[in-house]
Amino acid sequence: MSGSDSSTGVASTDHAPGLWPVLLFTWLTSFGTAVGWNGIFYVTQHEYGFSAGRNLVLGILLGASYALAAWFASPLTRLLRRLAGPGRFLSSRCVLGILLVLAAGSALLPVLVRAEWGIWACGLIYNPLAGLIWPVVESYVSSGRRGRALNRATGRFNYAWASALIVGMWAMVPLIEDYARWVIGGLAVIHVLTLPLLLFFGREPMGHGDPAHEYGAGERERLRRLLLMFRVSLVSSYALLAALGPLLPFLMGGVGIGIAWKPAVASSWMVMRLGAMIVMGNWAGWHGRGVVALVAFACMLVGFIGALTASGAFALIGALAMLGLGVGIVYSAAIYYALEVGSTEVDAGGKHEAFIGVGYTVGPIGTLALERAFGVS
């Protein structure tokens, strides 16, 4: 029988599998998120001559395909597991490997197909595959962990993917001007080189953890309200990011930022988001305080409007940093309350990723509607 943590009343995690292979896998695979969600719009503008409107349409389709794949991640991965044949099932580790190989193949499409349809096909294949990959990875993050160990593991997972996005955007700087297609094609190489890490994964993740603490009925209800508030904020934050993302290449051009430095400048909000995550993860003074959501929303709104109206490069960078601060607060709080109130199924499953996909879909729809109605772009 396993021991228990007397301070939390939950089982210990003495037999939880090592986390470092999952974190390294997360870091390397997140380069795909950097390019697939953020960098692709610089490639389409520079290499294919996309307008702001076409970038927004692409953003809508990418978000919708990701959300649908993530929402149905469980039945879709079960379908993949049946490929072993009647009465046999592929392991979760094997499914993850198959998804990674398929993602690598789709990333090569813009390199192999010079026509514009290659970039559309790449985005509409790669992003749904990502919507299936991340729920599986997150199940390994929570594998065998409960309480404080689960919170620590989730925090490290956040630091891994958030820092990888920053490095990924900076890695685009020497490539975007002359080798834009390889910004995406290079993901195929990274994904193939990542495959050996799966040897350090278990065939299946262990059972998910429980809530971090036990609370009275009144306190639990208050925390559930905070969870709902931050879930709405989470969707809103990704909607703002997705509304802004397809326009950023054009906004940067308007303030004199050259194509080579656009991805690096875009990383300013990611740097601030990571900083906010680190502070939130190491300081508990914000726990249980609803005002945090108001502060975060104010930061996001000021940053979003500031980015749209910036008249110079430094003003744009400052606005993006303010946006990133709000986004980092929201993401950290949303995961914290999910773990405190619910179980790891909340953020380890496809539904969590689907909420993010909804935000990525709604944001460009709103911006495109404004662009069509009022000529705003």
Side-chain angles (χ1 to χ4, degrees), residues 288-301:
R289 300 189 180 187
V291 70
V292 174
L294 299 178
V295 171
F297 188 78
C299 289
M300 291 192 300
L301 193 60

Side-chain angles (χ1 to χ4, degrees), residues 318-332:
L320 291 175
M322 182 66 72
L323 175 62
L325 175 62
V327 170
I329 293 172
V330 165
Y331 196 97
S332 299

Side-chain angles (χ1 to χ4, degrees), residues 128-302:
L129 288 170
L132 298 178
I133 288 172
W134 288 117
V136 180
V137 173
E138 288 162 0
S139 70
Y140 278 98
V141 173
S142 62
S143 177
R145 294 177 177 85
R146 302 183 180 206
R148 292 172 183 171
L150 177 58
N151 279 284
R152 285 196 300 270
T154 306
R156 291 169 185 170
F157 171 73
N158 289 340
Y159 303 157
W161 68 257
S163 62
L165 263 61
I166 298 168
V167 176
M169 294 301 284
W170 275 87
M172 290 176 62
V173 170
L175 297 174
I176 189 66
E177 193 162 9
D178 298 319
Y179 304 100
R181 295 173 191 267
W182 275 104
V183 166
I184 298 175
L187 295 177
V189 178
I190 294 174
H191 290 335
V192 170
L193 293 177
T194 303
L195 283 171
L197 284 173
L198 292 176
L199 296 175
F200 298 94
F201 283 48
R203 282 181 52 82
E204 299 291 344
M206 295 172 64
H208 295 316
D210 292 333
H213 300 285
E214 293 297 331
Y215 293 100
E219 182 69 5
R220 176 167 289 276
E221 181 57 32
R222 187 172 72 89
L223 290 175
R224 286 191 183 279
R225 288 197 297 269
L226 287 170
L227 173 60
L228 177 60
M229 181 186 303
F230 278 104
R231 277 186 178 166
V232 173
S233 298
L234 182 67
V235 175
S236 300
S237 69
Y238 277 93
L240 291 176
L241 291 174
L244 189 62
L247 301 180
L248 264 182
F250 303 93
L251 295 173
M252 291 181 188
V255 296
I257 299 172
I259 179 61
W261 285 101
K262 286 180 179 180
V265 171
S267 73
S268 57
W269 73 263
M270 301 175 188
V271 172
M272 188 60 74
R273 175 176 65 180
L274 178 59
M277 286 178 170
I278 293 173
V279 172
M280 296 279 283
N282 290 280
W283 173 61
W286 58 271
H287 291 178
R289 300 189 180 187
V291 70
V292 174
L294 299 178
V295 171
F297 188 78
C299 289
M300 291 192 300
L301 193 60
V302 169

